[in-house]
Amino acid sequence: MVRIESISKKFLEHGQVIQALQDVSFHVQRGQIYGLIGHSGAGKSTALRAINLLERPDSGQVLFNGENILTKSPEELRHLRQKIGMIFQHFNLLANRTVSENIALPLEIAGWKKEDIYKRVIECLELVHLTDKAQAYPAKLSGGQKQRVAIARSIANHPQVLLADEPTSALDPLTKGEILNCLAELNQKLGLTIVIASHEMKVIRKLCHRVTLFRGGRTEETLDVVNGQIHPQSAYGKIFVEDL
Amino acid sequence: MIESFISFWPELWKALQETLIMLAVGLSASTVFGGAIGVFLYLWSEERLLKSPKLRFIVGGLVNVVRSFPFVILMIAAGPLARLIAGTTIGPVAASVPLSIAGIAYFSRLVELSLMDVSKGTVEAAQSMGASLRKIVFSVLLVEARPSLILGFTSLCISYLSYSAAAGVIGGGGLGDLAVRYGYYRFQTEIMVATVVGLILFVQLIQSTGNYFSRKMDKR
Ligand SMILES: Nc1ncnc2c1ncn2[C@@H]1O[C@H](COP(=O)(O)OP(=O)(O)OP(=O)(O)O)[C@@H](O)[C@H]1O
Ligand SMILES: [Mg+2]
Protein backbone atom coordinates (compact mmCIF):
# COMPACT_ATOMS: atom_id res chain seq x y z
CA MET A 1 0.00 0.00 0.00
CA VAL A 2 2.81 2.41 0.94
CA ARG A 3 6.21 1.69 -0.50
CA ILE A 4 9.16 3.90 0.29
CA GLU A 5 12.03 3.33 -2.13
CA SER A 6 15.49 4.50 -1.08
CA ILE A 7 14.58 8.06 -0.13
CA SER A 8 17.13 10.58 1.11
CA LYS A 9 16.55 13.97 2.67
CA LYS A 10 18.91 16.75 3.68
CA PHE A 11 18.12 19.77 5.82
CA LEU A 12 20.08 22.97 5.83
CA GLU A 13 20.24 24.50 9.26
CA HIS A 14 22.44 27.50 10.08
CA GLY A 15 24.56 26.70 7.04
CA GLN A 16 25.02 23.13 8.24
CA VAL A 17 23.85 20.16 6.22
CA ILE A 18 21.93 17.58 8.23
CA GLN A 19 21.40 14.26 6.52
CA ALA A 20 18.03 13.39 8.06
CA LEU A 21 17.43 10.35 5.83
CA GLN A 22 19.86 8.32 3.78
CA ASP A 23 18.70 5.62 1.39
CA VAL A 24 15.65 4.63 3.44
CA SER A 25 13.22 1.96 2.20
CA PHE A 26 10.27 0.20 3.78
CA HIS A 27 6.98 -1.29 2.73
CA VAL A 28 3.68 -1.05 4.57
CA GLN A 29 0.97 -3.56 3.69
CA ARG A 30 -2.76 -2.98 3.76
CA GLY A 31 -4.25 -3.54 7.20
CA GLN A 32 -0.86 -3.49 8.89
CA ILE A 33 0.25 -1.42 11.86
CA TYR A 34 3.78 -0.45 10.98
CA GLY A 35 6.21 1.11 13.43
CA LEU A 36 9.08 3.46 12.63
CA ILE A 37 11.25 3.27 15.73
CA GLY A 38 14.59 4.56 16.91
CA HIS A 39 16.26 7.09 19.14
CA SER A 40 15.57 10.80 19.03
CA GLY A 41 16.82 12.42 15.84
CA ALA A 42 17.07 9.06 14.03
CA GLY A 43 14.74 10.23 11.24
CA LYS A 44 11.44 8.56 12.19
CA SER A 45 9.31 11.68 11.82
CA THR A 46 10.97 12.73 8.59
CA ALA A 47 10.34 9.28 7.12
CA LEU A 48 6.72 9.32 8.28
CA ARG A 49 6.15 12.79 6.87
CA ALA A 50 7.57 11.69 3.55
CA ILE A 51 4.54 9.44 3.10
CA ASN A 52 2.18 12.41 2.62
CA LEU A 53 5.00 14.63 1.38
CA LEU A 54 4.82 17.08 4.27
CA GLU A 55 8.55 16.47 3.89
CA ARG A 56 9.54 16.03 0.25
CA PRO A 57 12.51 13.66 -0.21
CA ASP A 58 15.46 14.87 -2.28
CA SER A 59 15.68 11.54 -4.07
CA GLY A 60 14.01 8.15 -4.17
CA GLN A 61 10.37 7.28 -4.64
CA VAL A 62 7.22 7.35 -2.54
CA LEU A 63 4.73 4.87 -3.94
CA PHE A 64 1.11 4.95 -2.87
CA ASN A 65 -0.85 2.00 -4.25
CA GLY A 66 1.94 1.56 -6.77
CA GLU A 67 1.91 5.17 -7.98
CA ASN A 68 4.88 7.47 -7.47
CA ILE A 69 3.35 10.49 -5.76
CA LEU A 70 6.45 12.68 -6.12
CA THR A 71 5.41 13.52 -9.66
CA LYS A 72 1.88 14.57 -8.76
CA SER A 73 0.69 18.14 -9.30
CA PRO A 74 -0.12 20.21 -6.18
CA GLU A 75 -3.81 19.76 -6.92
CA GLU A 76 -3.49 15.96 -7.21
CA LEU A 77 -1.43 15.90 -4.06
CA ARG A 78 -4.18 17.72 -2.15
CA HIS A 79 -6.68 15.10 -3.24
CA LEU A 80 -4.35 12.31 -2.23
CA ARG A 81 -3.79 13.86 1.20
CA GLN A 82 -7.52 13.91 1.78
CA LYS A 83 -7.23 10.12 1.84
CA ILE A 84 -4.30 10.01 4.27
CA GLY A 85 -5.11 10.80 7.89
CA MET A 86 -2.53 12.16 10.29
CA ILE A 87 -2.23 12.64 14.05
CA PHE A 88 0.50 14.38 16.01
CA GLN A 89 2.24 14.35 19.36
CA HIS A 90 0.70 17.69 20.33
CA PHE A 91 -2.71 16.95 18.79
CA ASN A 92 -2.79 20.12 16.66
CA LEU A 93 -6.49 20.74 17.15
CA LEU A 94 -7.96 24.13 16.28
CA ALA A 95 -8.43 25.89 19.62
CA ASN A 96 -11.22 28.15 18.37
CA ARG A 97 -13.31 25.39 16.86
CA THR A 98 -15.43 22.98 18.88
CA VAL A 99 -14.76 19.24 18.88
CA SER A 100 -17.45 18.75 16.23
CA GLU A 101 -16.11 21.57 14.10
CA ASN A 102 -12.61 20.13 14.32
CA ILE A 103 -13.83 16.78 13.08
CA ALA A 104 -15.82 18.50 10.34
CA LEU A 105 -12.76 20.32 8.97
CA PRO A 106 -11.34 17.53 6.76
CA LEU A 107 -14.86 16.91 5.43
CA GLU A 108 -15.30 20.58 4.52
CA ILE A 109 -11.94 20.39 2.80
CA ALA A 110 -13.01 17.32 0.86
CA GLY A 111 -16.18 19.14 -0.22
CA TRP A 112 -18.80 17.13 1.66
CA LYS A 113 -22.40 18.36 1.91
CA LYS A 114 -23.55 19.88 5.22
CA GLU A 115 -26.00 17.09 6.17
CA ASP A 116 -23.46 14.41 5.38
CA ILE A 117 -20.83 16.18 7.46
CA TYR A 118 -23.19 16.34 10.40
CA LYS A 119 -23.91 12.60 10.24
CA ARG A 120 -20.32 11.61 9.76
CA VAL A 121 -19.12 13.76 12.69
CA ILE A 122 -21.52 11.92 15.00
CA GLU A 123 -20.30 8.55 13.71
CA CYS A 124 -16.70 9.53 14.33
CA LEU A 125 -17.46 10.80 17.81
CA GLU A 126 -19.05 7.43 18.57
CA LEU A 127 -15.99 5.59 17.26
CA VAL A 128 -13.77 7.38 19.79
CA HIS A 129 -16.42 7.42 22.55
CA LEU A 130 -16.68 11.18 22.85
CA THR A 131 -20.26 11.96 21.88
CA ASP A 132 -20.79 13.96 25.08
CA LYS A 133 -17.98 16.37 24.17
CA ALA A 134 -19.32 17.34 20.74
CA GLN A 135 -19.82 21.01 21.60
CA ALA A 136 -16.79 21.43 23.89
CA TYR A 137 -13.70 23.40 22.93
CA PRO A 138 -10.35 21.53 22.97
CA ALA A 139 -9.03 23.57 25.92
CA LYS A 140 -11.64 21.90 28.11
CA LEU A 141 -10.44 18.36 27.31
CA SER A 142 -7.76 16.13 28.83
CA GLY A 143 -4.75 15.12 26.75
CA GLY A 144 -6.22 11.70 26.03
CA GLN A 145 -9.53 13.20 24.96
CA LYS A 146 -7.75 15.69 22.69
CA GLN A 147 -5.87 12.88 21.00
CA ARG A 148 -9.15 10.98 20.53
CA VAL A 149 -10.65 14.03 18.87
CA ALA A 150 -7.58 14.20 16.65
CA ILE A 151 -8.05 10.53 15.79
CA ALA A 152 -11.72 11.09 15.00
CA ARG A 153 -10.73 14.03 12.79
CA SER A 154 -8.07 12.00 11.01
CA ILE A 155 -10.40 9.14 10.09
CA ALA A 156 -13.44 11.25 9.21
CA ASN A 157 -12.86 11.20 5.46
CA HIS A 158 -12.30 7.41 5.37
CA PRO A 159 -8.53 7.51 4.89
CA GLN A 160 -6.67 4.57 3.43
CA VAL A 161 -3.77 5.10 5.81
CA LEU A 162 -3.35 6.81 9.15
CA LEU A 163 0.01 8.40 9.93
CA ALA A 164 0.76 8.84 13.62
CA ASP A 165 3.77 10.84 14.82
CA GLU A 166 4.51 10.02 18.47
CA PRO A 167 0.78 9.94 19.26
CA THR A 168 1.23 8.86 22.88
CA SER A 169 4.47 10.59 23.82
CA ALA A 170 2.79 13.59 25.45
CA LEU A 171 0.46 11.45 27.56
CA ASP A 172 0.63 9.76 30.97
CA PRO A 173 0.92 5.93 31.11
CA LEU A 174 -2.77 5.27 31.67
CA THR A 175 -3.83 7.58 28.85
CA LYS A 176 -1.20 6.07 26.55
CA GLY A 177 -2.97 2.72 26.96
CA GLU A 178 -6.31 4.33 26.17
CA ILE A 179 -5.01 5.79 22.89
CA LEU A 180 -3.24 2.57 21.91
CA ASN A 181 -6.47 0.64 22.48
CA CYS A 182 -8.33 3.17 20.41
CA LEU A 183 -5.89 2.77 17.50
CA ALA A 184 -5.90 -1.02 17.79
CA GLU A 185 -9.69 -0.98 17.72
CA LEU A 186 -9.77 1.12 14.55
CA ASN A 187 -7.28 -1.22 12.91
CA GLN A 188 -9.43 -4.24 13.74
CA LYS A 189 -12.86 -2.73 13.15
CA LEU A 190 -12.11 -0.78 9.98
CA GLY A 191 -9.02 -2.59 8.76
CA LEU A 192 -7.27 0.77 8.90
CA THR A 193 -3.59 0.73 7.91
CA ILE A 194 -1.51 2.66 10.43
CA VAL A 195 2.07 3.91 10.23
CA ILE A 196 3.35 5.09 13.56
CA ALA A 197 6.60 6.84 14.49
CA SER A 198 7.52 6.29 18.11
CA HIS A 199 10.38 5.67 20.49
CA GLU A 200 8.16 3.94 23.05
CA MET A 201 8.44 0.21 23.67
CA LYS A 202 4.84 0.10 24.80
CA VAL A 203 3.69 1.23 21.36
CA ILE A 204 5.76 -1.45 19.68
CA ARG A 205 4.59 -4.18 22.02
CA LYS A 206 0.90 -3.36 22.20
CA LEU A 207 0.29 -2.12 18.69
CA CYS A 208 2.79 -2.83 15.93
CA HIS A 209 2.83 -5.81 13.60
CA ARG A 210 6.13 -4.91 12.04
CA VAL A 211 8.77 -2.27 12.74
CA THR A 212 11.74 -0.65 11.07
CA LEU A 213 14.54 0.51 13.33
CA PHE A 214 16.17 3.82 12.39
CA ARG A 215 19.67 4.90 13.32
CA GLY A 216 21.21 8.21 12.28
CA GLY A 217 18.98 8.61 9.22
CA ARG A 218 19.44 5.05 7.98
CA THR A 219 17.39 1.93 8.52
CA GLU A 220 19.18 -0.52 10.77
CA GLU A 221 16.80 -3.47 10.44
CA THR A 222 13.19 -4.44 9.91
CA LEU A 223 11.51 -6.87 12.26
CA ASP A 224 8.20 -8.63 12.83
CA VAL A 225 6.63 -8.21 16.25
CA VAL A 226 5.89 -11.68 17.60
CA ASN A 227 3.74 -11.95 20.72
CA GLY A 228 4.53 -8.36 21.58
CA GLN A 229 8.30 -8.90 21.34
CA ILE A 230 10.97 -8.00 18.81
CA HIS A 231 14.23 -9.91 18.49
CA PRO A 232 16.79 -7.70 16.78
CA GLN A 233 19.75 -9.29 15.06
CA SER A 234 22.01 -6.25 14.90
CA ALA A 235 24.16 -5.18 17.84
CA TYR A 236 22.57 -1.73 17.79
CA GLY A 237 19.08 -3.25 17.77
CA LYS A 238 19.88 -5.37 20.81
CA ILE A 239 21.09 -2.33 22.72
CA PHE A 240 18.04 -0.34 21.63
CA VAL A 241 15.64 -2.95 22.95
CA GLU A 242 17.55 -3.36 26.21
CA ASP A 243 17.54 0.39 26.80
CA LEU A 244 13.80 0.67 26.52
CA MET B 1 -22.50 76.68 30.53
CA ILE B 2 -25.52 74.58 29.58
CA GLU B 3 -26.69 77.27 27.18
CA SER B 4 -23.34 77.42 25.50
CA PHE B 5 -23.53 73.66 25.02
CA ILE B 6 -26.97 73.83 23.49
CA SER B 7 -25.86 76.44 20.99
CA PHE B 8 -22.74 74.43 20.43
CA TRP B 9 -24.55 71.13 19.85
CA PRO B 10 -25.05 71.40 16.07
CA GLU B 11 -21.37 71.94 15.59
CA LEU B 12 -20.47 69.05 17.87
CA TRP B 13 -22.90 66.86 15.98
CA LYS B 14 -21.35 67.81 12.68
CA ALA B 15 -17.85 67.17 14.00
CA LEU B 16 -18.94 63.79 15.33
CA GLN B 17 -20.37 62.88 11.93
CA GLU B 18 -17.16 63.92 10.21
CA THR B 19 -15.12 61.82 12.62
CA LEU B 20 -17.40 58.86 12.02
CA ILE B 21 -17.08 59.23 8.23
CA MET B 22 -13.30 59.25 8.50
CA LEU B 23 -13.40 56.21 10.79
CA ALA B 24 -15.82 54.30 8.59
CA VAL B 25 -13.94 54.86 5.33
CA GLY B 26 -10.48 54.46 6.83
CA LEU B 27 -11.30 51.43 8.91
CA SER B 28 -12.97 49.61 6.03
CA ALA B 29 -10.04 50.26 3.74
CA SER B 30 -7.52 49.26 6.40
CA THR B 31 -9.35 46.09 7.32
CA VAL B 32 -9.74 44.88 3.75
CA PHE B 33 -6.45 45.97 2.19
CA GLY B 34 -4.31 45.97 5.33
CA GLY B 35 -5.73 42.57 6.24
CA ALA B 36 -4.91 41.17 2.81
CA ILE B 37 -1.38 42.59 2.83
CA GLY B 38 -0.86 41.24 6.34
CA VAL B 39 -1.95 37.76 5.27
CA PHE B 40 0.46 37.85 2.33
CA LEU B 41 3.35 39.18 4.42
CA TYR B 42 2.81 36.16 6.64
CA LEU B 43 2.47 33.67 3.79
CA TRP B 44 5.56 35.03 2.02
CA SER B 45 7.81 34.70 5.04
CA GLU B 46 10.47 32.07 5.54
CA GLU B 47 9.12 28.51 5.91
CA ARG B 48 5.55 29.60 5.26
CA LEU B 49 3.12 28.53 2.62
CA LEU B 50 4.00 30.93 -0.19
CA LYS B 51 7.62 31.57 0.72
CA SER B 52 8.86 34.52 -1.35
CA PRO B 53 11.64 36.60 0.17
CA LYS B 54 11.55 39.02 -2.78
CA LEU B 55 7.88 39.97 -2.55
CA ARG B 56 8.11 40.13 1.20
CA PHE B 57 11.09 42.45 0.98
CA ILE B 58 9.40 44.78 -1.50
CA VAL B 59 5.95 44.95 0.07
CA GLY B 60 7.30 44.85 3.64
CA GLY B 61 9.67 47.68 2.74
CA LEU B 62 6.83 49.74 1.32
CA VAL B 63 4.83 49.22 4.48
CA ASN B 64 7.80 50.37 6.55
CA VAL B 65 8.23 53.48 4.42
CA VAL B 66 4.60 54.48 4.96
CA ARG B 67 4.86 53.73 8.65
CA SER B 68 7.95 55.86 9.13
CA PHE B 69 6.27 59.00 7.70
CA PRO B 70 5.08 61.40 10.40
CA PHE B 71 1.34 61.40 9.86
CA VAL B 72 1.09 65.13 9.15
CA ILE B 73 3.61 64.83 6.34
CA LEU B 74 1.85 61.77 4.96
CA MET B 75 -1.34 63.82 4.89
CA ILE B 76 0.21 66.59 2.89
CA ALA B 77 2.02 64.17 0.59
CA ALA B 78 -1.22 62.30 -0.05
CA GLY B 79 -2.95 65.50 -1.19
CA PRO B 80 -2.73 64.79 -4.93
CA LEU B 81 -3.97 61.25 -4.44
CA ALA B 82 -6.87 62.54 -2.34
CA ARG B 83 -7.80 64.89 -5.15
CA LEU B 84 -7.69 62.01 -7.59
CA ILE B 85 -9.85 59.71 -5.46
CA ALA B 86 -12.15 62.12 -3.62
CA GLY B 87 -12.08 65.01 -6.08
CA THR B 88 -11.03 67.44 -3.36
CA THR B 89 -8.33 67.86 -0.73
CA ILE B 90 -10.54 69.12 2.07
CA GLY B 91 -13.31 67.50 4.07
CA PRO B 92 -13.59 64.18 5.83
CA VAL B 93 -13.69 62.05 2.67
CA ALA B 94 -10.46 63.57 1.36
CA ALA B 95 -8.83 63.19 4.77
CA SER B 96 -9.79 59.53 4.67
CA VAL B 97 -7.25 58.93 1.91
CA PRO B 98 -4.08 59.51 3.96
CA LEU B 99 -5.85 57.96 6.93
CA SER B 100 -6.46 54.82 4.91
CA ILE B 101 -2.89 54.68 3.67
CA ALA B 102 -1.51 54.94 7.19
CA GLY B 103 -4.10 52.50 8.52
CA ILE B 104 -3.44 49.90 5.81
CA ALA B 105 0.27 49.91 6.62
CA TYR B 106 -0.34 49.78 10.36
CA PHE B 107 -2.99 47.07 10.27
CA SER B 108 -1.03 44.86 7.86
CA ARG B 109 1.75 44.54 10.46
CA LEU B 110 -0.75 43.82 13.22
CA VAL B 111 -2.35 41.08 11.13
CA GLU B 112 1.03 39.59 10.24
CA LEU B 113 1.97 39.54 13.91
CA SER B 114 -1.29 37.87 14.92
CA LEU B 115 -0.89 35.16 12.30
CA MET B 116 2.67 34.45 13.38
CA ASP B 117 1.24 33.41 16.75
CA VAL B 118 -0.92 30.67 15.23
CA SER B 119 0.63 27.33 16.04
CA LYS B 120 2.55 25.82 13.15
CA GLY B 121 1.08 22.47 14.07
CA THR B 122 -2.52 23.42 13.30
CA VAL B 123 -1.49 24.77 9.90
CA GLU B 124 0.40 21.56 9.27
CA ALA B 125 -2.62 19.51 10.31
CA ALA B 126 -4.72 21.36 7.74
CA GLN B 127 -2.06 20.79 5.09
CA SER B 128 -2.04 17.09 5.91
CA MET B 129 -5.80 17.08 5.24
CA GLY B 130 -5.19 18.43 1.75
CA ALA B 131 -6.60 21.89 2.45
CA SER B 132 -6.23 24.54 -0.24
CA LEU B 133 -4.36 27.72 0.59
CA ARG B 134 -7.65 29.59 0.66
CA LYS B 135 -9.13 27.14 3.12
CA ILE B 136 -6.05 27.33 5.35
CA VAL B 137 -6.24 31.13 5.42
CA PHE B 138 -9.97 31.45 6.04
CA SER B 139 -10.71 28.37 8.15
CA VAL B 140 -7.51 27.98 10.11
CA LEU B 141 -5.30 31.07 10.25
CA LEU B 142 -7.96 33.76 10.55
CA VAL B 143 -10.05 31.64 12.93
CA GLU B 144 -7.19 30.73 15.23
CA ALA B 145 -5.89 34.31 15.25
CA ARG B 146 -9.34 35.84 15.81
CA PRO B 147 -8.92 37.00 19.42
CA SER B 148 -5.66 38.74 18.66
CA LEU B 149 -7.00 40.13 15.37
CA ILE B 150 -9.84 41.74 17.30
CA LEU B 151 -7.37 43.35 19.69
CA GLY B 152 -5.34 44.54 16.71
CA PHE B 153 -8.46 46.03 15.18
CA THR B 154 -9.26 47.75 18.47
CA SER B 155 -5.82 49.26 18.54
CA LEU B 156 -6.29 50.36 14.93
CA CYS B 157 -9.59 52.10 15.82
CA ILE B 158 -7.94 54.01 18.63
CA SER B 159 -4.98 55.10 16.53
CA TYR B 160 -7.48 56.18 13.93
CA LEU B 161 -9.26 58.39 16.34
CA SER B 162 -6.06 60.26 17.10
CA TYR B 163 -4.99 60.33 13.44
CA SER B 164 -8.39 61.64 12.47
CA ALA B 165 -7.94 64.42 15.01
CA ALA B 166 -4.70 65.38 13.30
CA ALA B 167 -6.51 65.25 9.97
CA GLY B 168 -8.24 68.48 10.98
CA VAL B 169 -5.04 70.19 9.85
CA ILE B 170 -5.95 69.82 6.21
CA GLY B 171 -9.56 70.59 6.84
CA GLY B 172 -10.76 67.11 7.52
CA GLY B 173 -12.96 68.39 10.29
CA GLY B 174 -14.02 66.10 13.08
CA LEU B 175 -13.78 66.16 16.84
CA GLY B 176 -10.05 66.82 17.08
CA ASP B 177 -10.37 69.75 14.72
CA LEU B 178 -13.21 71.09 16.81
CA ALA B 179 -11.17 70.89 20.01
CA VAL B 180 -8.28 72.74 18.38
CA ARG B 181 -10.46 75.45 16.83
CA TYR B 182 -12.38 76.26 19.98
CA GLY B 183 -9.80 75.58 22.61
CA TYR B 184 -6.67 76.77 20.94
CA TYR B 185 -7.83 79.61 18.70
CA ARG B 186 -10.88 80.89 20.57
CA PHE B 187 -9.91 80.15 24.15
CA GLN B 188 -13.24 78.47 24.90
CA THR B 189 -11.62 76.10 27.29
CA GLU B 190 -14.75 74.33 28.44
CA ILE B 191 -15.59 73.28 24.92
CA MET B 192 -12.10 71.97 24.34
CA VAL B 193 -12.22 70.11 27.64
CA ALA B 194 -15.64 68.67 26.83
CA THR B 195 -14.42 67.48 23.44
CA VAL B 196 -11.29 65.94 24.89
CA VAL B 197 -13.27 64.22 27.63
CA GLY B 198 -15.60 62.95 24.91
CA LEU B 199 -12.65 61.57 22.99
CA ILE B 200 -11.28 59.88 26.11
CA LEU B 201 -14.61 58.23 26.78
CA PHE B 202 -14.79 57.17 23.15
CA VAL B 203 -11.35 55.51 23.39
CA GLN B 204 -12.30 53.74 26.62
CA LEU B 205 -15.47 52.49 25.03
CA ILE B 206 -13.63 51.14 22.00
CA GLN B 207 -11.00 49.41 24.13
CA SER B 208 -13.51 47.78 26.48
CA THR B 209 -15.64 46.60 23.59
CA GLY B 210 -12.55 45.16 21.88
CA ASN B 211 -11.40 43.40 25.03
CA TYR B 212 -14.84 41.98 25.60
CA PHE B 213 -15.16 40.46 22.14
CA SER B 214 -11.60 39.24 22.09
CA ARG B 215 -12.08 37.41 25.37
CA LYS B 216 -15.39 36.02 24.22
CA MET B 217 -13.83 34.63 21.05
CA ASP B 218 -10.79 33.18 22.77
CA LYS B 219 -11.37 29.49 23.46
CA ARG B 220 -7.79 28.55 24.25
N1 LIG C 1 12.64 21.05 9.42
C1 LIG C 1 13.88 20.68 9.78
N2 LIG C 1 14.92 21.53 9.63
C2 LIG C 1 16.16 21.17 10.00
N3 LIG C 1 16.50 19.97 10.49
C3 LIG C 1 15.51 19.08 10.67
C4 LIG C 1 14.16 19.39 10.34
N4 LIG C 1 13.40 18.31 10.63
C5 LIG C 1 14.23 17.39 11.11
N5 LIG C 1 15.50 17.83 11.15
C6 LIG C 1 16.68 17.07 11.58
O1 LIG C 1 16.67 15.82 10.94
C7 LIG C 1 17.04 14.78 11.85
C8 LIG C 1 15.95 13.75 11.92
O2 LIG C 1 14.82 14.35 12.54
P1 LIG C 1 13.46 13.61 12.85
O3 LIG C 1 12.53 14.61 13.40
O4 LIG C 1 13.02 12.85 11.68
O5 LIG C 1 13.89 12.61 14.01
P2 LIG C 1 12.99 11.70 14.94
O6 LIG C 1 13.54 10.32 14.82
O7 LIG C 1 11.58 11.88 14.64
O8 LIG C 1 13.35 12.25 16.37
P3 LIG C 1 12.39 12.49 17.64
O9 LIG C 1 12.27 11.21 18.36
O10 LIG C 1 13.17 13.50 18.44
O11 LIG C 1 11.09 13.02 17.15
C9 LIG C 1 17.36 15.46 13.15
O12 LIG C 1 18.75 15.64 13.23
C10 LIG C 1 16.65 16.77 13.07
O13 LIG C 1 17.35 17.76 13.80
MG1 LIG D 1 9.93 12.76 15.68
Side-chain angles (χ1 to χ4, degrees):
Chain A
M1 158 147 265
V2 176
R3 193 183 278 280
I4 300 293
E5 292 276 15
S6 67
I7 56 168
S8 297
K9 173 81 184 175
K10 281 196 211 61
F11 287 109
L12 206 61
E13 186 130 294
H14 310 298
Q16 265 201 328
V17 178
I18 299 166
Q19 190 75 46
L21 294 177
Q22 173 88 53
D23 194 23
V24 164
S25 303
F26 57 90
H27 178 203
V28 182
Q29 273 165 357
R30 194 180 296 275
Q32 211 170 31
I33 304 183
Y34 199 102
L36 310 176
I37 62 173
H39 287 120
S40 187
K44 310 177 293 285
S45 297
T46 311
L48 184 79
R49 292 154 59 84
I51 297 174
N52 62 359
L53 298 191
L54 276 184
E55 228 56 273
R56 188 171 273 271
D58 304 327
S59 61
Q61 290 196 321
V62 180
L63 301 166
F64 196 84
N65 292 329
E67 247 188 304
N68 184 12
I69 61 172
L70 281 165
T71 54
K72 286 193 180 295
S73 71
E75 195 59 25
E76 289 170 331
L77 182 59
R78 288 207 307 106
H79 283 287
L80 178 75
R81 281 178 176 166
Q82 290 170 9
K83 286 293 173 192
I84 304 179
M86 190 165 196
I87 57 175
F88 307 83
Q89 179 170 2
H90 298 292
F91 326 123
N92 296 349
L93 298 173
L94 274 69
N96 290 329
R97 276 185 166 229
T98 62
V99 165
S100 294
E101 289 166 350
N102 264 282
I103 300 173
L105 183 62
L107 303 175
E108 291 167 17
I109 290 169
W112 284 46
K113 284 205 290 282
K114 267 234 164 67
E115 320 85 79
D116 298 340
I117 291 181
Y118 180 76
K119 274 190 229 137
R120 180 62 186 153
V121 166
I122 292 172
E123 276 173 27
C124 291
L125 281 168
E126 280 166 1
L127 273 171
V128 297
H129 315 294
L130 274 179
T131 8
D132 52 327
K133 299 289 182 195
Q135 298 313 317
Y137 284 91
K140 297 278 188 302
L141 305 179
S142 71
Q145 290 171 332
K146 282 182 198 167
Q147 195 60 295
R148 269 149 60 197
V149 174
I151 292 171
R153 182 175 71 171
S154 72
I155 59 166
N157 194 29
H158 304 288
Q160 300 188 25
V161 186
L162 173 63
L163 309 180
D165 195 356
E166 306 275 5
T168 54
S169 300
L171 304 172
D172 63 63
L174 201 69
T175 319
K176 275 188 214 299
E178 172 193 315
I179 295 303
L180 294 179
N181 286 338
C182 184
L183 291 173
E185 205 180 306
L186 291 174
N187 172 255
Q188 277 148 22
K189 263 197 201 161
L190 313 174
L192 182 65
T193 310
I194 303 176
V195 188
I196 184 164
S198 180
H199 62 267
E200 295 183 300
M201 202 60 200
K202 194 168 183 177
V203 173
I204 301 165
R205 272 215 294 268
K206 288 195 70 173
L207 205 59
C208 296
H209 301 144
R210 195 172 162 82
V211 298
T212 291
L213 175 62
F214 283 73
R215 176 192 188 183
R218 294 172 176 273
T219 53
E220 183 79 8
E221 56 183 318
T222 293
L223 303 152
D224 283 316
V225 184
V226 186
N227 298 326
Q229 297 295 330
I230 49 172
H231 301 285
Q233 302 301 307
S234 68
Y236 179 77
K238 284 179 181 149
I239 296 170
F240 180 80
V241 171
E242 263 173 37
D243 278 358
L244 285 176
Chain B
M1 178 83 183
I2 290 177
E3 258 168 45
S4 80
F5 265 110
I6 290 172
S7 65
F8 171 63
W9 175 247
E11 234 187 306
L12 183 67
W13 178 236
K14 181 165 169 278
L16 191 65
Q17 279 178 321
E18 286 166 347
T19 291
L20 289 177
I21 289 173
M22 287 190 275
L23 286 182
V25 176
L27 287 175
S28 317
S30 307
T31 308
V32 175
F33 297 110
I37 293 172
V39 168
F40 277 104
L41 285 175
Y42 168 87
L43 293 173
W44 286 331
S45 66
E46 211 61 39
E47 286 198 32
R48 305 282 183 200
L49 296 154
L50 285 180
K51 185 181 167 189
S52 169
K54 244 188 241 161
L55 281 169
R56 192 179 148 77
F57 180 79
I58 295 170
V59 177
L62 220 62
V63 166
N64 291 347
V65 167
V66 171
R67 293 202 58 197
S68 53
F69 266 68
F71 182 65
V72 176
I73 296 178
L74 184 69
M75 254 174 9
I76 296 162
L81 189 63
R83 191 189 299 279
L84 196 72
I85 294 173
T88 167
T89 54
I90 54 166
V93 177
S96 296
V97 173
L99 273 172
S100 301
I101 294 171
I104 287 169
Y106 181 54
F107 195 55
S108 67
R109 287 296 183 197
L110 289 179
V111 169
E112 183 196 7
L113 217 63
S114 297
L115 296 184
M116 275 159 60
D117 273 345
V118 175
S119 112
K120 235 179 112 182
T122 53
V123 176
E124 196 164 70
Q127 277 179 292
S128 81
M129 293 170 202
S132 61
L133 186 64
R134 191 194 165 91
K135 185 75 185 170
I136 292 176
V137 169
F138 287 101
S139 296
V140 178
L141 288 170
L142 294 182
V143 173
E144 288 297 279
R146 205 160 46 193
S148 113
L149 287 172
I150 291 173
L151 287 183
F153 182 74
T154 306
S155 164
L156 175 76
C157 290
I158 291 171
S159 302
Y160 249 99
L161 210 52
S162 77
Y163 282 162
S164 77
V169 174
I170 54 161
L175 289 170
D177 176 45
L178 188 72
V180 170
R181 271 191 289 129
Y182 278 81
Y184 192 67
Y185 297 125
R186 294 194 210 164
F187 302 104
Q188 294 192 7
T189 318
E190 72 262 33
I191 286 176
M192 183 182 73
V193 170
T195 316
V196 170
V197 168
L199 280 171
I200 291 171
L201 290 177
F202 206 2
V203 168
Q204 297 292 355
L205 179 73
I206 294 172
Q207 189 66 56
S208 322
T209 312
N211 288 348
Y212 172 78
F213 280 108
S214 171
R215 230 176 298 126
K216 207 176 142 111
M217 294 272 175
D218 196 350
K219 308 294 184 186
R220 280 173 297 179

